[in-house]
Amino acid sequence: MSPFLAIILLQGLVLVSAQAQAPAPAPTGPTNITAILTKAGQYTMFMRLLQTTRAADQINTQLNNSNSGGLTIFAPTDNAFSNLKSGLLNSLSEQQKVQLVQFHIISNFLSISEFQTTSNPLRTQAGDSTDGSYALNVTTFGNQVNITSGVVNTTLSNSVYSDGQLAVYQVDQVLLPLAFFRSPAPAPAPLEDKPKKGSKDPETSKDDTDTTTDSSGVIHGFNKLVFGVLLVGSIVYVVL
Ligand SMILES: *[C@@H]1O[C@H](CO)[C@@H](O)[C@H](O)[C@H]1NC(C)=O
Ligand SMILES: *[C@@H]1O[C@H](CO)[C@@H](O)[C@H](O)[C@H]1NC(C)=O
Ligand SMILES: *[C@@H]1O[C@H](CO)[C@@H](O)[C@H](O)[C@H]1NC(C)=O
């Protein structure tokens, strides 16, 4: 193959990969969790977590999918976050932050009265709770709904939003799963984390294809471009 052809092919590849990074238009659905929480006020910390873990996008996608059974979200107030043991949030790995957010979300709509007939433990998006690590249990007394994770006891203090598909309830404590306190905890071991980044793990590969605009995406694209240019340069060098 002639060096020129090789260069043109490589440049084509670089262009394609740069285009794959271009931002897609934001989803325009009727229900937007960020808008709801912004309007309600006092949920800045929770909103930030929803965004950094990309849960906000997933929530909006689920809500705008007419086949979904709706969602119930327990939204801890900013006060709840500031009452956490200091440093706790920062000590969590990225995966644990995702699990923490998922622990506050139930994949179906629950009105206050429906809590009286749900069976324990509630199935949160944090998943399997057969050993109680991610159990969220409810006890009700009339319209009073208490929830416990085994670490935290709290009461649904206020209905922030409800439209028959999405229910958002205020909680005055961050719901911490027992899993975070069981030892030996899955401590963030760097040696185990690294292979996961490149693997086909659904969460991480979702990250790679996510098309929201953020600076890391731009940097990512830029790195590919630089890499492409270096590659072309070294091939030219070798060929000549
Ligand atoms: C709910 O929690 C409150 C406050 O901790 C407590 O007084 C009440 O008895 C609990 N109700 C139920 C049904 O467990
Ligand atoms: C939650 O409920 C289940 C089933 O009743 C029970 O086995 C478990 O111990 C409870 N966990 C907590 C933290 O209350
Ligand atoms: C939560 O409530 C249970 C049962 O009422 C009690 O045994 C436990 O000590 C409470 N835990 C916390 C952290 O308040």
Side-chain angles (χ1 to χ4, degrees), residues 120-121 135 137 148-150:
N120 284 333
N137 285 2
T148 179
S149 68

Side-chain angles (χ1 to χ4, degrees), residues 139-141 144 146 155:
T139 50
T140 58
F141 185 73
Q144 183 176 55
N146 288 0
T155 302

Side-chain angles (χ1 to χ4, degrees), residues 11-231:
Q11 278 174 343
L13 281 179
V14 169
L15 278 179
V16 166
S17 84
Q19 270 164 10
Q21 298 288 329
T28 52
T31 321
N32 180 306
I33 186 62
T34 310
I36 290 167
L37 292 177
T38 304
K39 189 166 171 230
Q42 65 168 339
Y43 297 99
T44 321
M45 283 299 295
F46 187 54
M47 237 160 38
R48 199 176 300 163
L49 258 187
L50 288 178
Q51 281 165 343
T52 57
T53 59
R54 305 200 188 272
D57 294 342
Q58 283 164 23
I59 290 169
N60 292 332
T61 305
Q62 281 169 53
L63 289 175
N64 296 311
N65 169 0
S66 50
N67 291 326
S68 92
L71 286 178
T72 299
I73 299 177
F74 303 119
T77 57
D78 288 335
N79 222 352
F81 277 97
S82 51
N83 286 337
L84 282 179
K85 201 161 156 267
S86 97
L88 190 140
L89 206 54
N90 286 336
S91 75
L92 300 180
S93 68
E94 293 306 308
Q95 196 198 351
Q96 285 176 318
K97 283 180 189 163
V98 170
Q99 287 167 326
L100 180 64
V101 167
Q102 290 172 332
F103 196 51
H104 288 75
I105 306 175
I106 309 217
S107 296
N108 56 286
F109 174 85
L110 289 171
S111 67
I112 284 286
S113 62
E114 281 167 329
F115 279 103
Q116 293 169 14
T117 53
T118 54
S119 53
N120 284 333
L122 284 182
R123 183 159 181 83
T124 74
Q125 290 191 345
D128 193 12
S129 51
T130 44
D131 68 348
S133 291
Y134 290 95
L136 207 54
N137 285 2
V138 170
T139 50
T140 58
F141 185 73
N143 279 344
Q144 183 176 55
V145 179
N146 288 0
I147 37 186
T148 179
S149 68
V151 180
V152 166
N153 298 337
T154 191
T155 302
L156 298 192
S157 52
N158 187 18
S159 172
V160 178
Y161 181 88
S162 180
D163 65 6
Q165 215 218 349
L166 169 67
V168 183
Y169 298 103
Q170 172 181 337
V171 286
D172 297 322
Q173 290 195 63
V174 179
L175 306 175
L176 299 169
L178 205 51
F180 290 3
F181 300 90
R182 282 195 166 154
S183 53
L191 285 177
E192 277 173 18
D193 271 3
K194 270 189 183 152
K196 273 190 196 156
K197 292 241 161 74
S199 75
K200 294 280 180 208
D201 177 59
E203 266 164 28
T204 46
S205 59
K206 196 168 191 353
D207 264 6
D208 286 342
T209 55
D210 200 294
T211 49
T212 50
T213 39
D214 64 8
S215 56
S216 72
V218 173
I219 291 166
H220 201 102
F222 182 69
N223 280 343
K224 280 193 181 172
L225 199 67
V226 170
F227 176 73
V229 169
L230 287 177
L231 192 64

